[in-house]
Amino acid sequence: MSQISATDQNIIDQYPKLSQKEAANVFSSTIEIINNIKGNLSNQQRLTVEKYEGRGNIYGTGKVDEGLVHQFYTPYIIVKKMWDLVQHYGFNGGNVCEPSCGTGRFFLYSPKNCDLYGFDLDETNIKIAKALYPTANLYQEAFETAFLQQPNYSKLLKKSWLPEMDLVIGNPPYGDYEGYYKTYMPKGFGRFEFLFIRLGLQLLKPGGLLAFIISQNLMNNGGKYDKMKQSILDIGEFVDSVRLPVGIFANTQIGTDIVIFRKK
């Protein structure tokens, strides 16, 4: 991660870290574009919308509640590095799922031979993702619903209604898990990150890859999360991890790691 290539520099230049004022301007411009869109986005509209960061970067440090924490979007340079990692470990196309897709940032660097699937609860995020990636299969639902019977999502399925995935990639929500569908989920998963890793692995074909960004605290916690980790290792093999610099996300000092697993 320390060596900056010409491609990396181009990404950094095209998608620079925004100030709060710049993020607020992008926010208002994006909302106007999406609410008035007719047909395809122009190149300039697309670049504006791609920079959208939700509400997270509009508010200063110390003013971020739990809802806003989930609105900090992954920098494009990190997205690109995660794609480089999964391709290094053998991904070469197929079905790709982003369980908390936001505006679809993780779709940007996907190879052309991919079928894309994404979940997000935020209506604006889904509208933006559809405008940017019109061929993607997008659902304004919680990721957990992929394992529940449609349309009421009140019965656990033995197998997801989604096709098996070759790759699950993204930045899952952080924090204690108290989701609406908790009753139907695997027991003992008290953290969003670990639950999404477990569910992501369940979606994969044997040999498929999962790449997530998670809090450093989850990798540095002694035995606190051993039961959740063991449940993950029952169906997945740990492949690699990369520690990211503190401060990589705007206006927050949360430390993060990229983790890679392979489905057994």
Side-chain angles (χ1 to χ4, degrees):
M1 284 275 182
S2 60
Q3 187 174 359
I4 301 296
S5 68
T7 300
D8 295 338
Q9 191 61 53
N10 288 339
I11 295 170
I12 293 169
D13 292 342
Q14 187 171 8
Y15 304 105
K17 184 176 287 189
L18 302 179
S19 67
Q20 286 179 245
K21 183 178 180 180
E22 290 169 333
N25 289 337
V26 168
F27 181 94
S28 59
S29 296
T30 296
I31 298 302
E32 182 176 358
I33 291 169
I34 294 303
N35 286 342
N36 295 283
I37 187 172
K38 294 179 181 179
N40 296 326
L41 296 172
S42 69
N43 289 339
Q44 185 57 51
Q45 286 176 325
R46 186 179 186 90
L47 184 58
T48 297
V49 170
E50 284 176 343
K51 293 178 180 178
Y52 176 85
E53 295 181 345
R55 295 178 294 151
N57 196 15
I58 297 175
Y59 299 90
T61 304
K63 298 181 181 179
V64 180
D65 61 26
E66 184 177 356
L68 293 184
V69 167
H70 295 173
Q71 296 249 339
F72 285 95
Y73 296 3
T74 311
Y76 282 103
I77 187 63
I78 301 302
V79 173
K80 180 61 167 62
K81 289 298 183 183
M82 290 176 68
W83 275 103
D84 290 345
L85 277 169
V86 297
Q87 289 172 322
H88 172 76
Y89 285 111
F91 177 78
N92 58 9
N95 294 331
V96 177
C97 181
E98 214 289 61
S100 184
C101 68
T103 59
R105 288 194 173 197
F106 279 89
F107 297 155
L108 181 60
Y109 300 109
S110 60
K112 292 183 178 180
N113 61 335
C114 292
D115 290 321
L116 305 174
Y117 298 80
F119 290 79
D120 202 277
L121 289 170
D122 188 276
E123 181 181 6
T124 300
N125 282 346
I126 290 293
K127 284 182 177 180
I128 293 170
K130 285 181 177 178
L132 290 171
Y133 308 101
T135 62
N137 303 280
L138 299 168
Y139 308 93
Q140 191 186 334
E141 302 284 356
F143 178 48
E144 300 97 304
T145 62
F147 303 87
L148 301 173
Q149 186 171 301
Q150 298 172 306
N152 297 324
Y153 304 121
S154 58
K155 182 180 179 181
L156 183 65
L157 299 171
K158 292 183 178 180
K159 185 177 181 181
S160 172
W161 46 265
L162 288 172
E164 285 188 316
M165 297 292 150
D166 298 278
L167 174 66
V168 176
I169 189 169
N171 182 1
Y174 294 4
D176 295 335
Y177 178 62
E178 293 293 341
Y180 181 79
Y181 301 103
K182 185 174 182 177
T183 302
Y184 306 103
M185 294 297 102
K187 304 301 180 185
F189 279 83
R191 297 280 305 190
F192 267 108
E193 301 96 318
F194 286 130
L195 177 65
F196 273 49
I197 292 173
R198 170 72 193 206
L199 295 180
L201 286 169
Q202 288 178 206
L203 271 185
L204 289 169
K205 300 174 183 177
L209 291 170
L210 179 144
F212 275 174
I213 300 178
I214 63 172
S215 168
Q216 288 180 4
N217 293 334
L218 301 184
M219 301 292 282
N220 300 332
N221 55 61
K224 185 177 180 180
Y225 301 124
D226 279 357
K227 289 185 178 179
M228 286 183 276
K229 290 179 178 179
Q230 186 56 55
S231 179
I232 288 166
L233 293 175
D234 287 342
I235 62 172
E237 172 193 4
F238 177 75
V239 175
D240 199 359
S241 66
V242 177
R243 178 138 295 181
L244 299 177
V246 172
I248 198 72
F249 289 88
N251 284 332
T252 179
Q253 295 301 304
I254 296 174
T256 50
D257 293 322
I258 298 170
V259 293
I260 312 287
F261 289 87
R262 191 184 305 275
K263 175 75 172 285
K264 289 182 178 178

PDB file of all heavy atoms in Angstrom, residues 186-214:
ATOM      1  N   PRO A 186     -27.806 -16.207  12.151  1.00  0.00           N
ATOM      2  CA  PRO A 186     -27.026 -17.132  12.982  1.00  0.00           C
ATOM      3  C   PRO A 186     -26.863 -16.597  14.398  1.00  0.00           C
ATOM      4  O   PRO A 186     -26.647 -15.399  14.603  1.00  0.00           O
ATOM      5  CB  PRO A 186     -25.679 -17.194  12.246  1.00  0.00           C
ATOM      6  CG  PRO A 186     -25.998 -16.841  10.833  1.00  0.00           C
ATOM      7  CD  PRO A 186     -27.112 -15.847  10.900  1.00  0.00           C
ATOM      8  N   LYS A 187     -26.990 -17.461  15.375  1.00  0.00           N
ATOM      9  CA  LYS A 187     -26.948 -17.058  16.774  1.00  0.00           C
ATOM     10  C   LYS A 187     -25.528 -16.637  17.184  1.00  0.00           C
ATOM     11  O   LYS A 187     -24.538 -17.153  16.681  1.00  0.00           O
ATOM     12  CB  LYS A 187     -27.434 -18.193  17.679  1.00  0.00           C
ATOM     13  CG  LYS A 187     -28.832 -18.714  17.343  1.00  0.00           C
ATOM     14  CD  LYS A 187     -29.878 -17.602  17.423  1.00  0.00           C
ATOM     15  CE  LYS A 187     -31.261 -18.130  17.090  1.00  0.00           C
ATOM     16  NZ  LYS A 187     -32.285 -17.056  17.030  1.00  0.00           N
ATOM     17  N   GLY A 188     -25.473 -15.687  18.096  1.00  0.00           N
ATOM     18  CA  GLY A 188     -24.202 -15.301  18.690  1.00  0.00           C
ATOM     19  C   GLY A 188     -23.434 -14.242  17.945  1.00  0.00           C
ATOM     20  O   GLY A 188     -22.314 -13.913  18.336  1.00  0.00           O
ATOM     21  N   PHE A 189     -24.017 -13.681  16.878  1.00  0.00           N
ATOM     22  CA  PHE A 189     -23.317 -12.652  16.119  1.00  0.00           C
ATOM     23  C   PHE A 189     -23.756 -11.271  16.598  1.00  0.00           C
ATOM     24  O   PHE A 189     -24.792 -10.745  16.193  1.00  0.00           O
ATOM     25  CB  PHE A 189     -23.571 -12.817  14.615  1.00  0.00           C
ATOM     26  CG  PHE A 189     -22.700 -13.852  13.989  1.00  0.00           C
ATOM     27  CD1 PHE A 189     -23.050 -15.193  14.058  1.00  0.00           C
ATOM     28  CD2 PHE A 189     -21.512 -13.507  13.353  1.00  0.00           C
ATOM     29  CE1 PHE A 189     -22.232 -16.163  13.502  1.00  0.00           C
ATOM     30  CE2 PHE A 189     -20.695 -14.472  12.790  1.00  0.00           C
ATOM     31  CZ  PHE A 189     -21.058 -15.807  12.866  1.00  0.00           C
ATOM     32  N   GLY A 190     -22.951 -10.710  17.487  1.00  0.00           N
ATOM     33  CA  GLY A 190     -23.285  -9.428  18.090  1.00  0.00           C
ATOM     34  C   GLY A 190     -22.692  -8.229  17.386  1.00  0.00           C
ATOM     35  O   GLY A 190     -22.887  -7.090  17.827  1.00  0.00           O
ATOM     36  N   ARG A 191     -21.948  -8.459  16.310  1.00  0.00           N
ATOM     37  CA  ARG A 191     -21.336  -7.366  15.558  1.00  0.00           C
ATOM     38  C   ARG A 191     -21.741  -7.460  14.091  1.00  0.00           C
ATOM     39  O   ARG A 191     -21.726  -8.529  13.488  1.00  0.00           O
ATOM     40  CB  ARG A 191     -19.802  -7.423  15.642  1.00  0.00           C
ATOM     41  CG  ARG A 191     -19.222  -7.261  17.021  1.00  0.00           C
ATOM     42  CD  ARG A 191     -19.164  -5.831  17.461  1.00  0.00           C
ATOM     43  NE  ARG A 191     -18.450  -4.964  16.538  1.00  0.00           N
ATOM     44  CZ  ARG A 191     -18.104  -3.701  16.825  1.00  0.00           C
ATOM     45  NH1 ARG A 191     -18.380  -3.191  18.007  1.00  0.00           N
ATOM     46  NH2 ARG A 191     -17.475  -2.963  15.941  1.00  0.00           N
ATOM     47  N   PHE A 192     -22.091  -6.289  13.513  1.00  0.00           N
ATOM     48  CA  PHE A 192     -22.439  -6.242  12.097  1.00  0.00           C
ATOM     49  C   PHE A 192     -21.338  -6.847  11.234  1.00  0.00           C
ATOM     50  O   PHE A 192     -21.595  -7.620  10.314  1.00  0.00           O
ATOM     51  CB  PHE A 192     -22.656  -4.789  11.659  1.00  0.00           C
ATOM     52  CG  PHE A 192     -24.074  -4.321  11.737  1.00  0.00           C
ATOM     53  CD1 PHE A 192     -24.460  -3.424  12.727  1.00  0.00           C
ATOM     54  CD2 PHE A 192     -25.024  -4.753  10.833  1.00  0.00           C
ATOM     55  CE1 PHE A 192     -25.767  -2.973  12.800  1.00  0.00           C
ATOM     56  CE2 PHE A 192     -26.332  -4.306  10.890  1.00  0.00           C
ATOM     57  CZ  PHE A 192     -26.712  -3.405  11.893  1.00  0.00           C
ATOM     58  N   GLU A 193     -20.075  -6.457  11.514  1.00  0.00           N
ATOM     59  CA  GLU A 193     -18.977  -6.856  10.642  1.00  0.00           C
ATOM     60  C   GLU A 193     -18.851  -8.375  10.563  1.00  0.00           C
ATOM     61  O   GLU A 193     -18.715  -8.944   9.472  1.00  0.00           O
ATOM     62  CB  GLU A 193     -17.646  -6.269  11.148  1.00  0.00           C
ATOM     63  CG  GLU A 193     -17.628  -4.756  11.243  1.00  0.00           C
ATOM     64  CD  GLU A 193     -17.938  -4.240  12.641  1.00  0.00           C
ATOM     65  OE1 GLU A 193     -18.868  -4.785  13.289  1.00  0.00           O
ATOM     66  OE2 GLU A 193     -17.265  -3.305  13.092  1.00  0.00           O
ATOM     67  N   PHE A 194     -18.895  -9.042  11.722  1.00  0.00           N
ATOM     68  CA  PHE A 194     -18.747 -10.492  11.726  1.00  0.00           C
ATOM     69  C   PHE A 194     -19.952 -11.183  11.084  1.00  0.00           C
ATOM     70  O   PHE A 194     -19.803 -12.177  10.372  1.00  0.00           O
ATOM     71  CB  PHE A 194     -18.549 -10.998  13.153  1.00  0.00           C
ATOM     72  CG  PHE A 194     -17.182 -10.715  13.717  1.00  0.00           C
ATOM     73  CD1 PHE A 194     -17.035 -10.130  14.962  1.00  0.00           C
ATOM     74  CD2 PHE A 194     -16.043 -11.018  12.999  1.00  0.00           C
ATOM     75  CE1 PHE A 194     -15.780  -9.867  15.485  1.00  0.00           C
ATOM     76  CE2 PHE A 194     -14.772 -10.765  13.509  1.00  0.00           C
ATOM     77  CZ  PHE A 194     -14.645 -10.186  14.761  1.00  0.00           C
ATOM     78  N   LEU A 195     -21.143 -10.659  11.329  1.00  0.00           N
ATOM     79  CA  LEU A 195     -22.328 -11.242  10.697  1.00  0.00           C
ATOM     80  C   LEU A 195     -22.237 -11.135   9.185  1.00  0.00           C
ATOM     81  O   LEU A 195     -22.518 -12.102   8.463  1.00  0.00           O
ATOM     82  CB  LEU A 195     -23.600 -10.555  11.184  1.00  0.00           C
ATOM     83  CG  LEU A 195     -24.890 -11.046  10.516  1.00  0.00           C
ATOM     84  CD1 LEU A 195     -25.169 -12.503  10.864  1.00  0.00           C
ATOM     85  CD2 LEU A 195     -26.079 -10.167  10.887  1.00  0.00           C
ATOM     86  N   PHE A 196     -21.817  -9.973   8.672  1.00  0.00           N
ATOM     87  CA  PHE A 196     -21.729  -9.793   7.224  1.00  0.00           C
ATOM     88  C   PHE A 196     -20.642 -10.678   6.619  1.00  0.00           C
ATOM     89  O   PHE A 196     -20.786 -11.153   5.495  1.00  0.00           O
ATOM     90  CB  PHE A 196     -21.495  -8.316   6.890  1.00  0.00           C
ATOM     91  CG  PHE A 196     -22.758  -7.509   6.766  1.00  0.00           C
ATOM     92  CD1 PHE A 196     -23.741  -7.581   7.745  1.00  0.00           C
ATOM     93  CD2 PHE A 196     -22.969  -6.680   5.688  1.00  0.00           C
ATOM     94  CE1 PHE A 196     -24.911  -6.845   7.645  1.00  0.00           C
ATOM     95  CE2 PHE A 196     -24.136  -5.939   5.563  1.00  0.00           C
ATOM     96  CZ  PHE A 196     -25.123  -6.021   6.544  1.00  0.00           C
ATOM     97  N   ILE A 197     -19.553 -10.904   7.348  1.00  0.00           N
ATOM     98  CA  ILE A 197     -18.531 -11.827   6.853  1.00  0.00           C
ATOM     99  C   ILE A 197     -19.113 -13.233   6.751  1.00  0.00           C
ATOM    100  O   ILE A 197     -18.947 -13.921   5.734  1.00  0.00           O
ATOM    101  CB  ILE A 197     -17.284 -11.820   7.756  1.00  0.00           C
ATOM    102  CG1 ILE A 197     -16.553 -10.469   7.659  1.00  0.00           C
ATOM    103  CG2 ILE A 197     -16.329 -12.952   7.359  1.00  0.00           C
ATOM    104  CD1 ILE A 197     -15.411 -10.331   8.650  1.00  0.00           C
ATOM    105  N   ARG A 198     -19.799 -13.661   7.803  1.00  0.00           N
ATOM    106  CA  ARG A 198     -20.389 -15.008   7.800  1.00  0.00           C
ATOM    107  C   ARG A 198     -21.418 -15.151   6.673  1.00  0.00           C
ATOM    108  O   ARG A 198     -21.383 -16.125   5.899  1.00  0.00           O
ATOM    109  CB  ARG A 198     -21.054 -15.273   9.152  1.00  0.00           C
ATOM    110  CG  ARG A 198     -21.915 -16.536   9.193  1.00  0.00           C
ATOM    111  CD  ARG A 198     -21.117 -17.809   9.183  1.00  0.00           C
ATOM    112  NE  ARG A 198     -21.988 -18.953   8.913  1.00  0.00           N
ATOM    113  CZ  ARG A 198     -21.746 -20.194   9.308  1.00  0.00           C
ATOM    114  NH1 ARG A 198     -20.659 -20.464   9.989  1.00  0.00           N
ATOM    115  NH2 ARG A 198     -22.566 -21.168   9.017  1.00  0.00           N
ATOM    116  N   LEU A 199     -22.320 -14.185   6.532  1.00  0.00           N
ATOM    117  CA  LEU A 199     -23.340 -14.264   5.487  1.00  0.00           C
ATOM    118  C   LEU A 199     -22.713 -14.163   4.100  1.00  0.00           C
ATOM    119  O   LEU A 199     -23.141 -14.847   3.165  1.00  0.00           O
ATOM    120  CB  LEU A 199     -24.373 -13.151   5.680  1.00  0.00           C
ATOM    121  CG  LEU A 199     -25.235 -13.208   6.943  1.00  0.00           C
ATOM    122  CD1 LEU A 199     -26.209 -12.040   6.969  1.00  0.00           C
ATOM    123  CD2 LEU A 199     -25.990 -14.536   7.048  1.00  0.00           C
ATOM    124  N   GLY A 200     -21.695 -13.305   3.978  1.00  0.00           N
ATOM    125  CA  GLY A 200     -21.008 -13.181   2.693  1.00  0.00           C
ATOM    126  C   GLY A 200     -20.366 -14.487   2.270  1.00  0.00           C
ATOM    127  O   GLY A 200     -20.441 -14.888   1.096  1.00  0.00           O
ATOM    128  N   LEU A 201     -19.744 -15.178   3.218  1.00  0.00           N
ATOM    129  CA  LEU A 201     -19.141 -16.472   2.914  1.00  0.00           C
ATOM    130  C   LEU A 201     -20.200 -17.491   2.511  1.00  0.00           C
ATOM    131  O   LEU A 201     -19.977 -18.328   1.624  1.00  0.00           O
ATOM    132  CB  LEU A 201     -18.346 -16.972   4.119  1.00  0.00           C
ATOM    133  CG  LEU A 201     -17.011 -16.279   4.376  1.00  0.00           C
ATOM    134  CD1 LEU A 201     -16.456 -16.672   5.743  1.00  0.00           C
ATOM    135  CD2 LEU A 201     -16.000 -16.616   3.286  1.00  0.00           C
ATOM    136  N   GLN A 202     -21.369 -17.435   3.150  1.00  0.00           N
ATOM    137  CA  GLN A 202     -22.445 -18.360   2.794  1.00  0.00           C
ATOM    138  C   GLN A 202     -22.897 -18.171   1.346  1.00  0.00           C
ATOM    139  O   GLN A 202     -23.325 -19.123   0.690  1.00  0.00           O
ATOM    140  CB  GLN A 202     -23.640 -18.169   3.741  1.00  0.00           C
ATOM    141  CG  GLN A 202     -23.405 -18.673   5.143  1.00  0.00           C
ATOM    142  CD  GLN A 202     -24.572 -18.429   6.075  1.00  0.00           C
ATOM    143  OE1 GLN A 202     -24.390 -18.335   7.284  1.00  0.00           O
ATOM    144  NE2 GLN A 202     -25.776 -18.303   5.543  1.00  0.00           N
ATOM    145  N   LEU A 203     -22.813 -16.942   0.841  1.00  0.00           N
ATOM    146  CA  LEU A 203     -23.234 -16.650  -0.534  1.00  0.00           C
ATOM    147  C   LEU A 203     -22.257 -17.180  -1.579  1.00  0.00           C
ATOM    148  O   LEU A 203     -22.625 -17.383  -2.726  1.00  0.00           O
ATOM    149  CB  LEU A 203     -23.370 -15.139  -0.742  1.00  0.00           C
ATOM    150  CG  LEU A 203     -24.689 -14.466  -0.450  1.00  0.00           C
ATOM    151  CD1 LEU A 203     -24.598 -12.994  -0.852  1.00  0.00           C
ATOM    152  CD2 LEU A 203     -25.859 -15.120  -1.163  1.00  0.00           C
ATOM    153  N   LEU A 204     -21.020 -17.366  -1.181  1.00  0.00           N
ATOM    154  CA  LEU A 204     -19.968 -17.671  -2.149  1.00  0.00           C
ATOM    155  C   LEU A 204     -20.002 -19.116  -2.648  1.00  0.00           C
ATOM    156  O   LEU A 204     -20.378 -20.038  -1.927  1.00  0.00           O
ATOM    157  CB  LEU A 204     -18.599 -17.419  -1.526  1.00  0.00           C
ATOM    158  CG  LEU A 204     -18.200 -15.962  -1.285  1.00  0.00           C
ATOM    159  CD1 LEU A 204     -16.947 -15.897  -0.425  1.00  0.00           C
ATOM    160  CD2 LEU A 204     -17.974 -15.238  -2.610  1.00  0.00           C
ATOM    161  N   LYS A 205     -19.546 -19.278  -3.881  1.00  0.00           N
ATOM    162  CA  LYS A 205     -19.222 -20.602  -4.386  1.00  0.00           C
ATOM    163  C   LYS A 205     -17.983 -21.111  -3.641  1.00  0.00           C
ATOM    164  O   LYS A 205     -17.177 -20.311  -3.166  1.00  0.00           O
ATOM    165  CB  LYS A 205     -18.893 -20.541  -5.877  1.00  0.00           C
ATOM    166  CG  LYS A 205     -20.014 -20.026  -6.762  1.00  0.00           C
ATOM    167  CD  LYS A 205     -19.531 -19.861  -8.193  1.00  0.00           C
ATOM    168  CE  LYS A 205     -20.621 -19.285  -9.088  1.00  0.00           C
ATOM    169  NZ  LYS A 205     -20.134 -19.061 -10.479  1.00  0.00           N
ATOM    170  N   PRO A 206     -17.785 -22.416  -3.539  1.00  0.00           N
ATOM    171  CA  PRO A 206     -16.529 -22.919  -2.976  1.00  0.00           C
ATOM    172  C   PRO A 206     -15.341 -22.326  -3.725  1.00  0.00           C
ATOM    173  O   PRO A 206     -15.307 -22.318  -4.958  1.00  0.00           O
ATOM    174  CB  PRO A 206     -16.628 -24.430  -3.185  1.00  0.00           C
ATOM    175  CG  PRO A 206     -18.099 -24.703  -3.207  1.00  0.00           C
ATOM    176  CD  PRO A 206     -18.724 -23.508  -3.873  1.00  0.00           C
ATOM    177  N   GLY A 207     -14.389 -21.786  -2.987  1.00  0.00           N
ATOM    178  CA  GLY A 207     -13.237 -21.135  -3.598  1.00  0.00           C
ATOM    179  C   GLY A 207     -13.431 -19.662  -3.871  1.00  0.00           C
ATOM    180  O   GLY A 207     -12.473 -18.961  -4.231  1.00  0.00           O
ATOM    181  N   GLY A 208     -14.672 -19.165  -3.708  1.00  0.00           N
ATOM    182  CA  GLY A 208     -14.936 -17.745  -3.916  1.00  0.00           C
ATOM    183  C   GLY A 208     -14.284 -16.887  -2.838  1.00  0.00           C
ATOM    184  O   GLY A 208     -13.959 -17.366  -1.745  1.00  0.00           O
ATOM    185  N   LEU A 209     -14.118 -15.599  -3.123  1.00  0.00           N
ATOM    186  CA  LEU A 209     -13.392 -14.689  -2.238  1.00  0.00           C
ATOM    187  C   LEU A 209     -14.320 -13.660  -1.596  1.00  0.00           C
ATOM    188  O   LEU A 209     -15.309 -13.227  -2.200  1.00  0.00           O
ATOM    189  CB  LEU A 209     -12.306 -13.947  -3.011  1.00  0.00           C
ATOM    190  CG  LEU A 209     -11.119 -14.763  -3.493  1.00  0.00           C
ATOM    191  CD1 LEU A 209     -10.253 -13.938  -4.442  1.00  0.00           C
ATOM    192  CD2 LEU A 209     -10.272 -15.248  -2.307  1.00  0.00           C
ATOM    193  N   LEU A 210     -13.964 -13.280  -0.381  1.00  0.00           N
ATOM    194  CA  LEU A 210     -14.611 -12.178   0.318  1.00  0.00           C
ATOM    195  C   LEU A 210     -13.551 -11.172   0.721  1.00  0.00           C
ATOM    196  O   LEU A 210     -12.504 -11.548   1.261  1.00  0.00           O
ATOM    197  CB  LEU A 210     -15.362 -12.679   1.555  1.00  0.00           C
ATOM    198  CG  LEU A 210     -16.066 -11.623   2.411  1.00  0.00           C
ATOM    199  CD1 LEU A 210     -17.384 -12.167   2.967  1.00  0.00           C
ATOM    200  CD2 LEU A 210     -15.187 -11.137   3.572  1.00  0.00           C
ATOM    201  N   ALA A 211     -13.802  -9.887   0.439  1.00  0.00           N
ATOM    202  CA  ALA A 211     -12.870  -8.814   0.807  1.00  0.00           C
ATOM    203  C   ALA A 211     -13.657  -7.693   1.468  1.00  0.00           C
ATOM    204  O   ALA A 211     -14.527  -7.093   0.835  1.00  0.00           O
ATOM    205  CB  ALA A 211     -12.141  -8.289  -0.436  1.00  0.00           C
ATOM    206  N   PHE A 212     -13.369  -7.426   2.739  1.00  0.00           N
ATOM    207  CA  PHE A 212     -14.069  -6.395   3.497  1.00  0.00           C
ATOM    208  C   PHE A 212     -13.079  -5.456   4.179  1.00  0.00           C
ATOM    209  O   PHE A 212     -11.943  -5.844   4.490  1.00  0.00           O
ATOM    210  CB  PHE A 212     -14.931  -7.025   4.601  1.00  0.00           C
ATOM    211  CG  PHE A 212     -16.297  -7.471   4.162  1.00  0.00           C
ATOM    212  CD1 PHE A 212     -17.101  -8.174   5.059  1.00  0.00           C
ATOM    213  CD2 PHE A 212     -16.810  -7.195   2.910  1.00  0.00           C
ATOM    214  CE1 PHE A 212     -18.372  -8.597   4.696  1.00  0.00           C
ATOM    215  CE2 PHE A 212     -18.082  -7.616   2.534  1.00  0.00           C
ATOM    216  CZ  PHE A 212     -18.860  -8.313   3.433  1.00  0.00           C
ATOM    217  N   ILE A 213     -13.547  -4.242   4.452  1.00  0.00           N
ATOM    218  CA  ILE A 213     -12.869  -3.344   5.386  1.00  0.00           C
ATOM    219  C   ILE A 213     -13.585  -3.450   6.721  1.00  0.00           C
ATOM    220  O   ILE A 213     -14.808  -3.280   6.779  1.00  0.00           O
ATOM    221  CB  ILE A 213     -12.919  -1.885   4.899  1.00  0.00           C
ATOM    222  CG1 ILE A 213     -12.242  -1.733   3.543  1.00  0.00           C
ATOM    223  CG2 ILE A 213     -12.250  -0.965   5.916  1.00  0.00           C
ATOM    224  CD1 ILE A 213     -12.318  -0.320   2.997  1.00  0.00           C
ATOM    225  N   ILE A 214     -12.839  -3.723   7.797  1.00  0.00           N
ATOM    226  CA  ILE A 214     -13.443  -3.806   9.128  1.00  0.00           C
ATOM    227  C   ILE A 214     -12.599  -2.996  10.105  1.00  0.00           C
ATOM    228  O   ILE A 214     -11.463  -2.618   9.814  1.00  0.00           O
ATOM    229  CB  ILE A 214     -13.564  -5.259   9.611  1.00  0.00           C
ATOM    230  CG1 ILE A 214     -12.184  -5.910   9.755  1.00  0.00           C
ATOM    231  CG2 ILE A 214     -14.445  -6.074   8.671  1.00  0.00           C
ATOM    232  CD1 ILE A 214     -12.221  -7.283  10.419  1.00  0.00           C
TER     233      ILE A 214
END
